[in-house]
Amino acid sequence: MQQKDVLPMKPEPTEKRAATTAPLNITGSEAVIRSLIAEGVETIFGYPGGAIMPIYDALYDFQDQVHHILVRHEQGATHAAQGYARTSGKTGVVFATSGPGATNLVTGLADAYMDSTPMVCITGQVAAALLGTDAFQETDVIGITMPITKWNIQVTRPEDIPGAIAKAFYIAGSGRPGPVLVDITKNAQAAKFDFKYEKCEYIRSYRPVPVMDKDAVAEAAELINSAKRPYILCGHGVLLAGAEKDLIALAEKASIPVASTLLGLSAVPVDHPLYVGYLGMHGNYAPNIKTNECDVLIAVGMRFDDRITGDVSAYAKQAKVVHIEIDAAEINKIIKADVAVHADAKTALQALLGLVKPAKHDEWIQGFREADKQEEEKVTKKELYPTEGGLKMAEVVRLISERTEGKAVLVTDVGQHQMIASRYYRFKDPNTNITSGGMGTMGFALPASMGAKVGTPEKEVVAVIGDGCFQMTLQELGTIYQSEIGVKIVILNNNFLGMVRQWQQLFFDKRYSSTEMVNPDFVQIAKGFFIPGRKVTDRADIAAAVDEMISHKGAYLLEVVVEKEDNVFPMVPAGAPIANIRLE
């Protein structure tokens, strides 16, 4: 169906704003802090430097209202802001200086952009008169970050600061969320002006919430009602929209099995009777193969990433595709939709719920359970309950899941441990799976776990990290100690860059080029940052070690030495059809 453009009946004003503060004659730097407070910001992750020093000086007078967390690297600030945003539901905020400070934000900005995480980064910049002169620590941060932000702007006058920050928060948090960058020159920080803050509620030409086409919803409902083998793919958009209950209600009403993408994990409790597993290259066997057996595929808040589809030419060719997606650019980009519902996931699901008829698809669902048995026999039993050989990553994740009852916030880095944790942690609550999906950023988990804990201090936060990933951002142990952030850190150490090594084993004739690692003593490093820890090499000790870690008050590091050449299965070879998924 052709997506219709539905416009409002009458034009909106260019900008509609609500005043929140009375005019004050203050510096641009103070205006930054007051603007953030007006937006409800309570936490900032950052690192000071010359070009942003006036803003840090202004922050000094507002320490009772805004908590600043001093990271050890600007990349750590961005990942911490991501973890904070994804657990708290608020927009993460980052401060950095010009030049190298600003360029150190690039990886985190790209990660947040790919994974639709709301974040506002404020960078200092050299004085306006020096722009373009290659002044000390001058970098064109606007040009560098334009492709990886929803919006960015350079502010050279103090009177433009409140409006820029208001727009930044509106754009970052509305529609499909994402990162925004505001670059403020030093002269704009220092000069005074009459400050008045007004929250931004509308920007001409930016329409973050599409007007849903009711005819498309009706057509989608008709397809679902006529389906014999309907199948829901749940993506990150369900969590971003707060639509978890709506999705479950729809699935239950029409007896539709639900599978999750990597970033959609935790939207549906793993023990729900209609949940059939995790999609993707290292996902579960049943949800992958059944994609090519369903007759109606309902994709909600997901973008058909290549890790989900494999070879697109062989993907779900037998199925009618309903795609519910807030970002029009994602519709028909990878997989052609028979019915496209351009809408927020919650709005669309609630509308569908009233049109979809009750149904039963017991035989179809039973097919998933039969496929599960094959995976259990060939993979799962051996992974979760090994009786010989070295420790396996899966049995460690199983113990953590049992001890936390599936209710902890699980923050994973990138690689084999990420796939294992995603497969075997038994998620119970929404927004408890924090990982780097689209960008696959090594070094993500340690700083992201800091932000996740600050965002949800009442929850246990466990970071599961590989030995290679940990060494990318281990300096953030200093932040954890100084800011007293009680995260639990689990290093699954196989002395390899494990995922690369697996590919080298399977596809490059075991030519292990630059993947074996000689690692330091991780427990001693943690102790150097005054964080207690323990190293486990024997299966007999692992249960007690996990108990000790979980019961410890405050931060704790547990290193577990796992099998050196332990592979992750199932696996869809890169570029292959998903039906070619391998169990061994």
Side-chain angles (χ1 to χ4, degrees), residues 332-481:
N332 295 322
K333 186 177 83 173
I334 307 295
I335 298 297
K336 183 173 177 14
D338 294 278
V339 179
V341 182
H342 181 209
D344 169 85
K346 190 175 187 69
T347 303
L349 288 168
Q350 288 179 344
L352 264 178
L353 190 58
L355 299 175
V356 168
K357 297 174 183 177
K360 289 290 183 183
H361 299 104
D362 295 342
E363 187 177 343
W364 168 233
I365 293 168
Q366 183 59 31
F368 283 86
R369 302 310 175 200
E370 292 299 324
D372 287 342
K373 291 177 183 177
Q374 296 180 55
E375 181 176 346
E376 185 176 355
E377 286 301 316
K378 292 197 172 184
V379 180
T380 308
K381 278 184 181 178
K382 300 172 187 176
E383 291 287 318
L384 291 178
Y385 302 100
T387 56
E388 57 185 12
L391 279 162
K392 287 187 173 289
M393 292 180 279
E395 63 181 311
V396 180
V397 172
R398 172 181 61 81
L399 285 169
I400 295 169
S401 184
E402 290 171 356
R403 297 302 190 269
T404 60
E405 300 180 338
K407 290 182 171 294
V409 175
L410 189 75
V411 187
T412 52
D413 223 290
V414 174
Q416 288 183 316
H417 62 279
Q418 176 191 33
M419 298 295 99
I420 289 290
S422 300
R423 283 172 50 78
Y424 295 118
Y425 192 82
R426 306 285 292 173
F427 295 99
K428 295 287 179 65
D429 297 331
N431 296 306
T432 53
N433 167 53
I434 311 298
T435 196
S436 173
M439 193 70 172
T441 302
M442 291 181 67
F444 172 86
L446 187 63
S449 69
M450 303 186 316
K453 184 64 175 178
V454 173
T456 51
E458 74 283 1
K459 280 189 171 287
E460 192 75 79
V461 175
V462 181
V464 177
I465 312 175
D467 48 306
C469 293
F470 183 72
Q471 292 176 81
M472 292 258 182
T473 51
L474 65 78
Q475 68 273 3
E476 297 307 333
L477 291 173
T479 307
I480 290 169
Y481 171 66

Side-chain angles (χ1 to χ4, degrees), residues 218-232 250 253-257 293-298 318-322 355-365:
E219 191 172 346
E222 188 177 335
L223 278 178
I224 295 168
N225 289 334
S226 63
K228 302 298 182 185
R229 298 181 304 280
Y231 188 20
I232 294 173
L250 177 68
K253 185 176 183 180
S255 185
I256 306 174
E293 296 178 21
C294 66
D295 58 0
V296 175
L297 187 68
I298 307 133
Q318 78 294 338
K320 296 290 185 182
V321 176
V322 175
L355 299 175
V356 168
K357 297 174 183 177
K360 289 290 183 183
H361 299 104
D362 295 342
E363 187 177 343
W364 168 233
I365 293 168

Side-chain angles (χ1 to χ4, degrees), residues 70-148:
L70 176 64
V71 297
R72 297 308 188 259
H73 190 283
E74 291 88 353
Q75 180 184 345
T78 57
H79 296 327
Q82 288 177 272
Y84 176 84
R86 285 167 62 177
T87 55
S88 71
K90 301 176 182 178
T91 297
V93 179
V94 172
F95 280 177
T97 194
S98 64
T103 59
N104 282 343
L105 302 179
V106 167
T107 298
L109 283 166
D111 195 293
Y113 188 70
M114 289 283 277
D115 288 352
S116 304
T117 304
M119 182 165 67
V120 171
C121 293
I122 296 175
T123 53
Q125 184 56 274
V126 301
L130 295 175
L131 289 172
T133 68
D134 292 331
F136 177 66
Q137 290 193 333
E138 181 198 356
T139 303
D140 179 12
V141 67
I142 297 300
I144 289 169
T145 62
M146 189 174 292
I148 53 172

Side-chain angles (χ1 to χ4, degrees), residues 53 58 175 196 247 460-461 512 540:
M53 206 173 297
K196 184 179 180 182
L247 181 87
E460 192 75 79
V461 175
Y512 296 148

